[in-house]
C-alpha cells in the first residue's frame, strides 16, 4: 500500500536540498538572555520576552497562588462554565490600562486576530490590509470571506486610494495594520491611516502584538505612542510577548466586546486560559505600571545594539524598535549565518520565504531589557566575526 502522505516526505526532501530545512531548537532551562539551547549556552537574541517577564518573581508568585487556589484548568469554554472571576479581573485590568471601554481575552494573539476579523466582517465587506500584516490577520481575513485589498507596506496614501476607489461599493470597510511589524521592526504610520479611515468611515483595527509592553507610556502600545486614543476602533494586543505569558486581547467599545462574546469562534469553541495564566498576566500589568525602568532599559539596549550593528556595516533594514533584522538576501545564506552564529555562541534565527519575501531573507535579532551591556558586546563581537567570514559585511 503506498503511503498517501508520501508527498510530504518529498516536500521535506526539497526543503533539505535547498538548505531550508529547519530543526526545532530546544531550550533546556528558562527563557533568559543567556540560555541553553540544544545543550549549548548561547546569547539569546530570539525571544519576544522583551522585559524578562517570563521569569519575573511577581508573575511566578501570582501563578503559584492561583494554581494553589483555583487548580490547573478552567474546565470549559468561556461561554459555558469557563469564565472565572480572575478572567474578568484581567479583562478589566487591561481595559483600564489601555484606556478602553472594554476588553476580551483570547487564548492567543493569533486567536484574537483571526477570531475578531472573521466575526466582525462578512462576505460582502472589504478589508484593506498592509502587505506585511501578520499571518493571523491574513487568516482572519480569509475566514471572514470578505474581499481583501492589500496596500504596499506602510503606504497610507495607497490605503486611502483603495478606500476612495471602493467608496461606492456596498459593504463595510476595515483598514488593518500591525502596530510594529514583526519581521522588520518598523512602526505603522498610524496617524495617516486613522485619518484615511475616518475620512471614509472605515473601521480602524491595529494588531499591537510587538508594541504591547514596548511602545507608548508604560507599554500601552501604538495608539498611546501616537496619542490616538478613541480613534482606533479595534486594538489587539498579545500577552505572549512582552507580557511574558500567553494570550491575546481585544480592546474597544463595550458593544464590540459583547458582540465578540457571541460571534468570535475561538472564544465560543475553545477552552479559556488556566487561572494561573490569567493571574500571571494580571501581575504583568502591575509590573508595567510599577517598574517603568524595564521599558527604559529595553530601549537603551535597543539603541546601543542597533547603532553598533550599523557601525559594523550591517544592514538593519527599516527597524525602529527592539526588533532588528540583519538583511542578508538569500534564504540559504541567512540560515547559514544563523547556524554559524549559533556555533559561535549567538542565537538569532534565520528567516526566509514564505515568512518574508524572496530575496529579503535575514536573521532577526531582538534584544531585551535583561541583556547586560557585556552580553550585547560579546554578541556584537561574534556577529562581526561571522559576518566578515560570510562576506555579509
Ligand atoms: C506574535 C504575533 C501574533 C500572535 O500572538 P500570539 O499571542 O503569539 O498568538 C499576532 N500578531 C503579530 C503581529 C505577532 O507578531
Amino acid at each position: 500500500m503506498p503511503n498517501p502522505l508520501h508527498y510530504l516526505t518529498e516536500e521535506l526532501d526539497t526543503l533539505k536540498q535547498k538548505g531550508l530545512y529547519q530543526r526545532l531548537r530546544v531550550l533546556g532551562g528558562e527563557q533568559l538572555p543567556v540560555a541553553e539551547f540544544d545543550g549549548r549556552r548561547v546569547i539569546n537574541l530570539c525571544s519576544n520576552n522583551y522585559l524578562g517577564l517570563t521569569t519575573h518573581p511577581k508573575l511566578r508568585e501570582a501563578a503559584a497562588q492561583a494554581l494553589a487556589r483555583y487548580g490547573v484548568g478552567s474546565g470549559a469554554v468561556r461561554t459555558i462554565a469557563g469564565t472565572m472571576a480572575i478572567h474578568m479581573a484581567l479583562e478589566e485590568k487591561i481595559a483600564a490600562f489601555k484606556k478602553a471601554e472594554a476588553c476580551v481575552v483570547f487564548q492567543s494573539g493569533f486567536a484574537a486576530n483571526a477570531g475578531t476579523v472573521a466575526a466582525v466582517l462578512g462576505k460582502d465587506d472589504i478589508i484593506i490590509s498592509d502587505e506585511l500584516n501578520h499571518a493571523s490577520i491574513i487568516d482572519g481575513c480569509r475566514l471572514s470571506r470578505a474581499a481583501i485589498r492589500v496596500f504596499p507596506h506602510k503606504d497610507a496614501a495607497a490605503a486611502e486610494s483603495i478606500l476612495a476607489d471602493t467608496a461606492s461599493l456596498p459593504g463595510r470597510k476595515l483598514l488593518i495594520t500591525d502596530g510594529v511589524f514583526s519581521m522588520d521592526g518598523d512602526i505603522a504610520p498610524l496617524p495617516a491611516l486613522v485619518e484615511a479611515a475616518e475620512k471614509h468611515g472605515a473601521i480602524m483595527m491595529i494588531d499591537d502584538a510587538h508594541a504591547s509592553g514596548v511602545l507608548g507610556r508604560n507599554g500601552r502600545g501604538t495608539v498611546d505612542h501616537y496619542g490616538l486614543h478613541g480613534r482606533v476602533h479595534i486594538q489587539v494586543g498579545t500577552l505572549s510577548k512582552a507580557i511574558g505569558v500567553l494570550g491575546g486581547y481585544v480592546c474597544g467599545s463595550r458593544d464590540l466586546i459583547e458582540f465578540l462574546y457571541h460571534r468570535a469562534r475561538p472564544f465560543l469553541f475553545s477552552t479559556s486560559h488556566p487561572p494561573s495564566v490569567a493571574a500571571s498576566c494580571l501581575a504583568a500589568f502591575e509590573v508595567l505600571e510599577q517598574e517603568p525602568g524595564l521599558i527604559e532599559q529595553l530601549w537603551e539596549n535597543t539603541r546601543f545594539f542597533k547603532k553598533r550593528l550599523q557601525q559594523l556595516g550591517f544592514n538593519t533594514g527599516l527597524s525602529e524598535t527592539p526588533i532588528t533584522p540583519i538583511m542578508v538576501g538569500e534564504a540559504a545564506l541567512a540560515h547559514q549565518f544563523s547556524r554559524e552564529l549559533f556555533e559561535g555562541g549567538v542565537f538569532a534565527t534565520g528567516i526566509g520565504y514564505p515568512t518574508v519575501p524572496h530575496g529579503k531573507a535575514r536573521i532577526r535579532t531582538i534584544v531585551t531589557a535583561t541583556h547586560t551591556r557585556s552580553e550585547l558586546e560579546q554578541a556584537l563581537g561574534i556577529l562581526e566575526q561571522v559576518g566578515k567570514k560570510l562576506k555579509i559585511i
Side-chain angles (χ1 to χ4, degrees):
M1 264 304 231
N3 175 357
L5 283 178
H6 182 69
Y7 66 102
L8 300 184
T9 311
E10 286 169 4
E11 298 253 338
L12 287 171
D13 286 343
T14 309
L15 289 179
K16 284 175 189 166
Q17 278 158 19
K18 290 183 178 165
L20 301 178
Y21 179 81
Q22 291 213 71
R23 275 185 322 101
L24 301 176
R25 297 253 189 232
V26 178
L27 174 59
E30 299 184 345
Q31 184 66 264
L32 293 172
V34 177
E36 192 195 289
F37 285 91
D38 293 345
R40 190 184 194 104
R41 255 174 86 76
V42 287
I43 300 169
N44 178 5
L45 299 179
C46 282
S47 87
N48 302 310
N49 184 24
Y50 289 104
L51 304 174
L53 297 192
T54 59
T55 52
H56 193 288
K58 287 187 180 151
L59 276 73
R60 280 189 207 262
E61 180 55 29
Q65 276 187 20
L67 197 63
R69 220 180 267 173
Y70 308 117
V72 296
S74 74
V77 301
R78 287 287 300 273
T79 47
I80 298 183
T83 294
M84 300 173 104
I86 196 146
H87 294 129
M88 300 307 291
L90 175 60
E91 290 172 344
E92 280 161 27
K93 178 82 187 171
I94 299 173
F97 179 78
K98 298 280 284 188
K99 305 185 190 306
E101 212 172 281
C103 171
V104 55
V105 169
F106 287 78
Q107 299 85 349
S108 69
F110 198 110
N113 266 330
T116 300
V117 174
V120 170
L121 297 180
K123 66 177 172 33
D124 299 325
D125 300 329
I126 300 170
I127 297 168
I128 298 104
S129 175
D130 187 290
E131 65 178 335
L132 295 189
N133 277 346
H134 191 258
S136 55
I137 293 178
I138 297 167
D139 284 14
C141 293
R142 290 177 182 157
L143 285 168
S144 75
R145 296 183 299 152
I148 302 166
R149 298 285 302 269
V150 172
F151 62 89
H153 184 46
K154 286 180 57 164
D155 189 340
E160 206 211 309
S161 84
I162 297 173
L163 283 165
D165 286 351
T166 54
S168 60
L169 297 178
R172 301 177 184 91
K173 319 290 176 347
L174 172 80
L175 179 52
I176 184 163
T177 185
D178 280 11
V180 170
F181 289 86
S182 50
M183 294 300 145
D184 291 271
D186 51 346
I187 304 173
L190 195 61
L193 292 172
V194 163
E195 283 204 6
E198 285 174 350
K199 184 166 164 195
H200 296 281
I203 305 159
M204 183 76 225
M205 174 167 171
I206 189 165
D207 170 11
D208 245 353
H210 280 285
S212 312
V214 174
L215 274 188
R217 287 167 301 157
N218 302 82
R220 284 183 170 79
T222 310
V223 169
D224 190 81
H225 172 73
Y226 284 118
L228 293 168
H229 291 283
R231 297 174 69 187
V232 174
H233 306 97
I234 307 177
Q235 287 191 68
V236 170
T238 180
L239 304 168
S240 324
K241 289 176 175 146
I243 301 303
V245 195
L246 174 69
Y249 59 84
V250 180
C251 282
S253 68
R254 171 66 56 194
D255 285 352
L256 168 69
I257 302 312
E258 293 208 347
F259 179 81
L260 293 175
Y261 285 174
H262 291 84
R263 286 288 180 273
R265 292 169 71 83
F267 187 86
L268 289 157
F269 296 109
S270 183
T271 297
S272 54
H273 279 154
S276 56
V277 167
S280 30
C281 291
L282 255 173
F285 283 93
E286 280 159 18
V287 169
L288 288 184
E289 285 168 341
Q290 291 162 8
E291 300 180 34
L294 282 174
I295 297 178
E296 283 161 27
Q297 190 61 46
L298 170 68
W299 281 93
E300 196 173 314
N301 285 352
T302 296
R303 284 188 290 272
F304 168 77
F305 192 70
K306 205 187 302 288
K307 187 164 159 225
R308 289 283 297 274
L309 282 176
Q310 289 162 353
Q311 284 168 348
L312 287 171
F314 286 115
N315 173 1
T316 58
L318 308 167
S319 172
E320 34 186 350
T321 66
I323 298 175
T324 307
I326 297 177
M327 307 306 286
V328 162
E330 291 313 312
L333 181 59
H335 293 305
Q336 187 188 0
F337 191 19
S338 173
R339 275 194 304 274
E340 299 210 8
L341 284 170
F342 191 80
E343 294 303 310
V346 167
F347 184 19
T349 355
I351 296 169
Y353 182 80
T355 310
V356 296
H358 282 298
K360 291 202 169 173
R362 64 201 66 183
I363 61 162
R364 184 178 68 161
T365 67
I366 300 181
V367 299
T368 69
T370 47
H371 284 93
T372 64
R373 187 53 65 92
S374 101
E375 286 159 2
L376 294 178
E377 274 173 354
Q378 221 182 317
L380 286 158
I382 298 162
L383 279 156
E384 178 178 19
Q385 202 185 334
V386 180
K388 282 184 173 154
K389 179 177 165 210
L390 298 181
K391 301 193 167 31
I392 291 162
I393 47 173

